[in-house]
Each structure stands twice: as C-alpha cells, then as structure tokens.
Amino acid sequence: MSSKTAVANTPLTSRKTPLATRLRNNWQLYLLLLIPVIITIIYKYVPMYGIQIAFRDFKASRGYLGSEWVGLYWFERFFTSPNCVRMIRNTVLLSLYSLLWSFPVPIILSLAINQLHFTRFKRVVQTVLYAPHFISTMVICGMIRIFLSPSGGLINLILGTQTDFLTMSEAFRTIYIASGIWQDAGWGTIIYLATLSSVDTSLYEAAKVDGATMFQRIIHIDVPALIPMAVLQLIMSAGSLMSVGFEKVWLLQTDLNKATSDVIAVYVYEQGIENAKYSYSTAVGLFNTVVNIILLIIVNKIASKASDVSFV
C-alpha cells in the first residue's frame, strides 16, 4: 500500500491537530475569546440562578433556598388578575403593529439610498437618517411631549387644534410606532446597505445592456439579494415580539391612555421595583421570556422551510 493510500485511509479525527497543540499555538486568540465568554457567563447565565424565585415566596432575609417553595402560585395569580388579558393583548398588538410598519421601512430606505450615485449627497442622507438613533429614549419622549403639546405643540399648530394626544388611548400606538420608525429606521438600513454593497456590479451592467429599467433592476437584483438578511432580521424581531420597549412606554404612559399602553414590561417594573413583589414580577417576566423563545423557534422553523434561511 502506497503512502498516499495510507494517508487517505487514515481516519479524519486522527489527522486533526490535538486541542492542546492548538491552544498552545494560538493562545493569544483563545485568550481574547475568553474575555467575552466570561462576561457572557457572568452577566447572562449566572443571573439565571435567580429565576427560581418565580417559584418561591421570596424573602430577602431568608435568601433563595430559605424562601418557601410555592410552585406555580405566582403564575396562577397573574393569569387570574383582572388586567392580565389586557396587558397581553396590548403587548402583542403593540409589538405586532411595530413589526408590521417598522420592518419594511429600512429595506425601502436602503433600496432608495443604494440608487444614489452622488457620493456626498448620499453621505448626508445617511447621516441625517442615522442621527435620531443616537438620541436617548428620554430625550425622544421629551420631544414627543413638546411636539404633541395641546398648547403650542407643532402637531397642533399644523392641524389648528388644541388636542392632548397623549391622553387619547386610541392614539398611543400610532405615537409609539411613528416615533420608533423615525428613531430607528435609518440605523436599520446599515445592514441592508452592507448586503447590497456585496452584489456583483456585473449584474447591473448586464441588466442595463438587456434594457432593464431601474425599477426592474431593484426587483430582480437588489430584492433577491436582501431576502436572506431580511428573513434573519424577521426571525430576530419575532423572537422579541413580547419584549416591548419599557422606557418609551413608561415615559409616555398616562392614566388616560393605559387602556392601550398597559404592557407587561411596565407591569413587571411596577410590581418588582415599586411594590417590591419580587417573586410575582419574576414570574411575569419569565412567562414573557418563555413566549419569546417559543415564537423564535416557531418563526425560525417556518422561515427555514419557506426560504432555506434559519437563525439557528
């Protein structure tokens, strides 16, 4: 038997470099990798030990293990509370409407920006669109209150009215979604513009030679290139469907708009921080997280079968 044949018949595992050798030869890279791994373990996995208080009548003086085990008592209490259905409905609808209206906007903007050939103007447009993302949520909510003020607010001056929109429960979702699009749509174009930049320019040249219009080039070249990334973004968005942003809802919430602004995230804060009901708030938050995980798995399965693109 020749040496080549012997090498070919050698199992793949025996030809692999031993782990100890790889660690010794590339210890600098593994050391760099160790830092984020440790940080992730400390801040993401270690706190999971505290999830058990959702199943206990937690008393800080007794600690985790010393508190009485109550099983699913706190979950039953949440599901039988008078506002449970309203909070779940508001959370789902607010997230679903946000996804429905906000998701296509970065894609449309990226397709439009990609058609700009004047470099300086293109950079100005991108800067203007990116800027709102760097404004803090608290400042954004302050601006919203000023714009919607019944006395001298910009919107009321344009409409010629004196309406306090933040006291109208039917207007809250529109305010939340519109401000979210303005703040994050431009920032969301970055990943799509990066995808479009990798498209082979010869495809555009061939399409021009064949007489394709700009719209036809967008439909048949740009859109197919964006579909895999759009599917991944959709999966990630679906995985956080129940995680409505707490800060903006809490800062814009009033007693008069609670019919549509009363969501699970704010309820967890009120019960856990303001009322010190740690076990109850942890149980509600855990329910919210479990629903997100289930949605992520379902959407990922559907996407993998429909488009051969999956997140995990």
Side-chain angles (χ1 to χ4, degrees):
M1 182 182 296
S2 64
S3 59
K4 291 184 179 180
T5 306
V7 171
N9 294 333
T10 302
L12 182 61
T13 55
S14 64
R15 300 202 305 269
K16 285 185 177 180
T17 306
L19 178 60
T21 304
R22 281 181 285 159
L23 289 173
R24 186 171 57 254
N25 295 338
N26 304 287
W27 66 269
Q28 300 95 335
L29 298 177
Y30 285 102
L31 182 62
L32 289 175
L33 178 63
L34 188 62
I35 297 173
V37 169
I38 292 175
I39 293 175
T40 302
I41 292 173
I42 292 175
Y43 291 101
K44 297 295 183 180
Y45 288 94
V46 172
M48 289 184 182
Y49 178 75
I51 291 177
Q52 62 177 298
I53 69 175
F55 306 95
R56 295 180 181 272
D57 184 12
F58 179 70
K59 304 293 182 183
S61 58
R62 299 179 182 176
Y64 291 123
L65 301 180
S67 300
E68 180 185 357
W69 182 271
V70 295
L72 300 177
Y73 170 76
W74 299 114
F75 295 93
E76 294 174 0
R77 181 172 172 179
F78 171 64
F79 292 131
T80 55
S81 63
N83 294 330
C84 174
V85 176
R86 186 179 74 174
M87 284 186 293
I88 295 176
R89 183 181 67 248
N90 288 341
T91 302
V92 172
L93 289 179
L94 194 59
S95 296
L96 200 59
Y97 290 156
S98 296
L99 180 62
L100 178 64
W101 291 102
S102 303
F103 184 76
V105 176
I107 299 175
I108 296 172
L109 284 175
S110 61
L111 291 172
I113 293 173
N114 192 55
Q115 297 302 316
L116 298 177
H117 301 293
F118 186 34
T119 306
R120 183 172 297 179
F121 178 68
K122 184 177 181 179
R123 290 177 179 174
V124 170
V125 171
Q126 288 178 286
T127 302
V128 171
L129 292 174
Y130 296 164
H133 177 78
F134 298 97
I135 304 175
S136 69
T137 303
M138 183 171 290
V139 175
I140 289 289
C141 293
M143 295 170 63
I144 293 173
R145 288 186 176 275
I146 293 172
F147 292 152
L148 300 179
S149 173
S151 56
L154 178 62
I155 304 301
N156 279 293
L157 289 176
I158 294 175
L159 299 177
T161 59
Q162 291 184 338
T163 305
D164 191 354
F165 293 100
L166 287 176
T167 62
M168 302 168 58
S169 59
E170 62 272 16
F172 178 82
R173 289 177 185 144
T174 302
I175 295 170
Y176 180 91
I177 295 169
S179 60
I181 292 174
W182 172 70
Q183 185 177 12
D184 294 322
W187 185 255
T189 62
I190 292 178
I191 192 168
Y192 295 115
L193 287 173
T195 302
L196 290 174
S197 66
S198 64
V199 177
D200 189 357
T201 55
S202 63
L203 295 176
Y204 296 110
E205 296 171 359
K208 288 181 181 179
V209 171
D210 291 339
T213 63
M214 182 182 69
F215 182 74
Q216 289 174 328
R217 293 197 298 271
I218 291 174
I219 294 298
H220 297 289
I221 299 176
D222 292 342
V223 172
L226 291 180
I227 286 178
M229 184 57 64
V231 172
L232 288 177
Q233 292 293 102
L234 179 62
I235 294 172
M236 295 175 65
S237 299
S240 58
L241 187 65
M242 295 287 288
S243 300
V244 176
F246 157 75
E247 289 180 327
K248 186 186 291 186
V249 176
W250 187 63
L251 291 170
L252 295 178
Q253 189 178 75
T254 65
D255 291 335
L256 297 176
N257 65 21
K258 274 198 169 184
T260 54
S261 66
D262 196 13
V263 297
I264 292 178
V266 175
Y267 186 67
V268 169
Y269 171 81
E270 291 175 344
Q271 298 299 318
I273 304 299
E274 296 182 356
N275 299 330
K277 298 179 180 178
Y278 304 117
S279 294
Y280 182 54
S281 61
T282 302
V284 178
L286 181 58
F287 159 74
N288 204 40
T289 302
V290 170
V291 173
N292 279 332
I293 294 174
I294 293 173
L295 289 173
L296 175 62
I297 294 173
I298 292 174
V299 175
N300 183 67
K301 289 292 184 182
I302 295 174
S304 62
K305 291 182 179 180
S307 61
D308 293 329
V309 177
S310 62
F311 186 67
V312 290

